[in-house]
Amino acid sequence: MWSQIAVLCSFLLYTVYSQNTDDCVCVQYYQCSVNGTVITDGDGLLGERLGDSCNNCNCQGTDVCCLLPKNETVVSRQPETLPACGYSNSNGIGNSNAGDSTTSLGNESVFGEFPWMVQIFEDSKYRCGGSLIHPSVVLTAAHCVKFFNNRTYTVRAGEWDTSSTNEIMKHEDRGVFAIKSHEGFRDKIYYNDVALVFLSEAFNLKPHINVACLAPAEGISTNTRCFTIGWGKPKIAPNQNDSTILKKIDLPLIGRPDCQKALRTTRVGQYFNLHESFICAGGEKDKDACTGDGGGPLFCPIEGQENRFQQVGIVAWGIDCNTEGIPGVYADVSVLRKWIDKEMSSRNLETNIYQPS
């Protein structure tokens, strides 16, 4: 069947690409776009798509002949003195026997350990994670809130165990009155996957509700072990439920060349180009963000400051979950930092609150 599809598509597209046959290569059928060029940005491969072009490659099996592209203001109530950003409660808050239990896919956090973590609900249903970077503002992924004009969003801070309301301190909810997504966000391929969620009322900061620090625009060393957190699924499996207790996963940062090389061994193919707005982490067995963790933070220790962290990434996408040797992909906070600062300043909101001193 695939050979018949390839012949038909090759015939239809031959007149368009016949003058460029020297640039045709054999790729898997799903790595060739409907306009007949090799997919290099992951479009459709992070979802579904197929295509074919050219007819001079003598491809075998399910490969098809495909053309290589040419080189290609918020009013909010705030406390007078704000607590410093990025400090974790490494031993939790109060006495809790739950959490901090080792599982096959990582660890559970303890109550209040990461006070900047929030949940985002869409029409009362859990949608994504996010991080509080200001009493009135949440940082998340643009793909998490793209339906803002047609849906109702709510942010919950101070949550830990979603199956219980017996935590020593209660979670709090806030409405959302505005969302600003990056102008360069590209749905399905997730370029510039960042958004700011502006709350209708500021959170009062307290031990289990506090703000994250953000990594500087110059970035940090990739020779670092970091964490991601969330209530998403531990792995992709039939009937797999989301985690009820906030999970934490330690991951190594992965340099761009190594990440791109690893991703090219997957379904995105050998011509995939990792966009500059991404950072990678993971690739170790059974350690990865997964479905339901989108929008959550990737954060790393601040050197010389005990129990203090800075956010370097936002959970964006991955190739399945927990695949050894294949890192997860995150929006790069350092690359997007200027945009974040600009949007905050345009609404007269302080940016120094998420800058570690």
Side-chain angles (χ1 to χ4, degrees), residues 224-268:
T224 307
R225 288 199 73 87
C226 304
F227 291 92
T228 191
I229 51 180
W231 287 273
K233 300 180 188 302
K235 58 183 178 180
I236 294 179
N239 302 317
Q240 182 71 53
N241 295 321
D242 288 348
S243 302
T244 56
I245 292 178
L246 180 65
K247 65 181 187 291
K248 62 177 181 182
I249 304 165
D250 69 294
L251 304 164
L253 288 185
I254 305 297
R256 181 179 303 278
D258 290 338
C259 182
Q260 179 172 276
K261 181 179 179 180
L263 291 171
R264 284 180 170 184
T265 67
T266 71
R267 65 174 177 263
V268 298

Side-chain angles (χ1 to χ4, degrees), residues 87-109:
Y87 279 103
S88 71
N89 300 300
S90 59
N91 296 318
I93 298 172
N95 296 319
S96 174
N97 294 323
D100 204 28
S101 58
T102 301
T103 71
S104 62
L105 296 177
N107 293 323
E108 293 176 347
S109 67

Side-chain angles (χ1 to χ4, degrees), residues 136-159:
S136 299
V137 186
V138 167
L139 179 69
T140 190
H143 79 261
C144 290
V145 290
K146 61 184 180 180
F147 299 117
F148 176 64
N149 291 330
N150 301 309
R151 311 283 170 84
T152 299
Y153 286 86
T154 305
V155 169
R156 175 170 295 172
E159 182 62 284

Side-chain angles (χ1 to χ4, degrees), residues 5 13 20 25 30 54 57 62 75 98 114 119 171 183 189 203 230 264 266 269 276 288-289 306 337 352 355:
I5 294 175
L13 293 166
N20 296 313
V25 293
Y30 52 79
C54 311
C57 301
T62 59
V75 177
F114 305 112
Q119 292 179 305
H171 65 251
E183 299 81 358
I189 56 177
F203 283 107
R264 284 180 170 184
T266 71
E276 62 181 7
D288 199 3
E306 187 176 4
R337 176 64 188 274
N352 59 5
Q355 298 181 24

Side-chain angles (χ1 to χ4, degrees), residues 79-323:
E80 292 182 2
T81 303
L82 297 175
C85 65
Y87 279 103
S88 71
N89 300 300
S90 59
N91 296 318
I93 298 172
N95 296 319
S96 174
N97 294 323
D100 204 28
S101 58
T102 301
T103 71
S104 62
L105 296 177
N107 293 323
E108 293 176 347
S109 67
V110 290
F111 173 68
E113 185 171 2
F114 305 112
W116 53 84
M117 184 64 182
V118 303
Q119 292 179 305
I120 298 174
F121 293 87
E122 182 182 89
D123 290 345
S124 301
K125 182 178 180 181
Y126 173 69
R127 171 70 171 168
C128 274
S131 51
L132 196 66
I133 64 170
H134 182 282
S136 299
V137 186
V138 167
L139 179 69
T140 190
H143 79 261
C144 290
V145 290
K146 61 184 180 180
F147 299 117
F148 176 64
N149 291 330
N150 301 309
R151 311 283 170 84
T152 299
Y153 286 86
T154 305
V155 169
R156 175 170 295 172
E159 182 62 284
W160 173 61
D161 183 352
T162 61
S163 67
S164 171
T165 57
N166 294 325
E167 289 97 335
I168 190 172
M169 302 180 76
K170 302 302 183 183
H171 65 251
E172 299 181 15
D173 292 354
R174 296 291 187 271
V176 174
F177 82 89
I179 292 177
K180 176 64 176 179
S181 295
H182 196 291
E183 299 81 358
F185 170 62
R186 296 276 304 280
D187 196 14
K188 297 184 180 180
I189 56 177
Y190 310 115
Y191 290 178
N192 304 300
D193 194 10
V194 59
L196 295 174
V197 178
F198 299 98
L199 307 178
S200 56
E201 181 185 356
F203 283 107
N204 292 317
L205 303 185
K206 50 193 69 175
H208 72 312
I209 300 175
N210 203 356
V211 296
C213 296
L214 298 187
E218 57 268 25
I220 68 170
S221 169
T222 55
N223 187 26
T224 307
R225 288 199 73 87
C226 304
F227 291 92
T228 191
I229 51 180
W231 287 273
K233 300 180 188 302
K235 58 183 178 180
I236 294 179
N239 302 317
Q240 182 71 53
N241 295 321
D242 288 348
S243 302
T244 56
I245 292 178
L246 180 65
K247 65 181 187 291
K248 62 177 181 182
I249 304 165
D250 69 294
L251 304 164
L253 288 185
I254 305 297
R256 181 179 303 278
D258 290 338
C259 182
Q260 179 172 276
K261 181 179 179 180
L263 291 171
R264 284 180 170 184
T265 67
T266 71
R267 65 174 177 263
V268 298
Q270 62 182 317
Y271 301 104
F272 175 76
N273 292 321
L274 186 66
H275 192 257
E276 62 181 7
S277 65
F278 295 131
I279 189 173
C280 300
E284 296 178 343
K285 182 176 175 59
D286 290 336
K287 290 187 176 184
D288 199 3
C290 200
T291 304
D293 290 324
L298 172 70
F299 52 93
C300 307
I302 297 177
E303 187 175 357
Q305 301 191 47
E306 187 176 4
N307 296 327
R308 200 177 192 194
F309 300 87
Q310 56 190 343
Q311 184 172 346
V312 301
I314 303 167
V315 178
W317 61 275
I319 302 296
D320 302 322
C321 304
N322 301 303
T323 303

